[in-house]
Amino acid sequence: MTNWPDDDVILYDGVCVFCSRWVQFVIARDTEKRFRVTPIQSPYGTRLAQAFGIDPREPDTNAVVHGGKAHLKSDAALTVLSNLPGWGWTRALFAVPKSLRDAVYSVVARNRYRIFGKYDSCFVPDAELRRRVLDQ
């Protein structure tokens, strides 16, 4: 895992319907307002992606910076979920072998546009979410 100066930042594909809904799901449940988000298409998101070896033109994973470290694929999703109020039980899913978790994650990631759709441009958040977006 790679270090990054900002903490609790979720990197997501802003044109992916599934990814944008994931961010909305997280923000709605993050009552402590712990997580901030950045679309990979923003200048900040692009820098973050490149630092973690993610191609910003063809992203194959979301990521989260937590505890100063980057978590990718299933580790990213479980790290976020397990830090939401009432979702701590998802920590148990870390017991599933990472290779299996990431294989399932990769199947969904590869097919996300076909299954869930794609926006023509970056998802535009509402005012509440906008306050938690890092884009510069």
Side-chain angles (χ1 to χ4, degrees), residues 12-17 19-21 23-24 27 37-42 118-133 135:
Y12 72 101
D13 181 352
V15 297
C16 170
V17 172
C19 305
S20 297
R21 289 194 180 146
V23 165
Q24 292 171 19
I27 296 302
V37 300
T38 187
I40 200 166
Q41 293 81 5
S42 72
K118 182 177 180 180
Y119 296 118
D120 292 328
S121 60
C122 249
F123 157 74
V124 178
D126 61 19
E128 171 62 24
L129 179 54
R130 185 80 200 132
R131 286 190 285 274
R132 297 177 60 188
V133 173
D135 54 12

Side-chain angles (χ1 to χ4, degrees), residues 78 90-98 100-101:
L78 290 177
T90 59
R91 283 183 189 92
L93 297 175
F94 281 110
V96 175
K98 181 175 172 45
L100 180 59
R101 288 187 282 118

Side-chain angles (χ1 to χ4, degrees), residues 33-104:
K33 298 184 184 329
R34 170 184 218 156
F35 291 102
R36 294 169 296 156
V37 300
T38 187
I40 200 166
Q41 293 81 5
S42 72
Y44 181 89
T46 297
R47 286 192 312 274
L48 186 63
Q50 290 170 335
F52 301 144
I54 300 168
D55 181 351
R57 295 176 316 263
E58 295 290 329
D60 64 348
T61 181
N62 74 343
V64 65
V65 179
H66 178 71
K69 304 284 184 192
H71 303 272
L72 306 174
K73 297 192 177 200
S74 65
D75 283 345
L78 290 177
T79 296
V80 171
L81 282 174
S82 66
N83 281 282
L84 293 175
W87 286 80
W89 61 268
T90 59
R91 283 183 189 92
L93 297 175
F94 281 110
V96 175
K98 181 175 172 45
S99 59
L100 180 59
R101 288 187 282 118
D102 281 353
V104 171

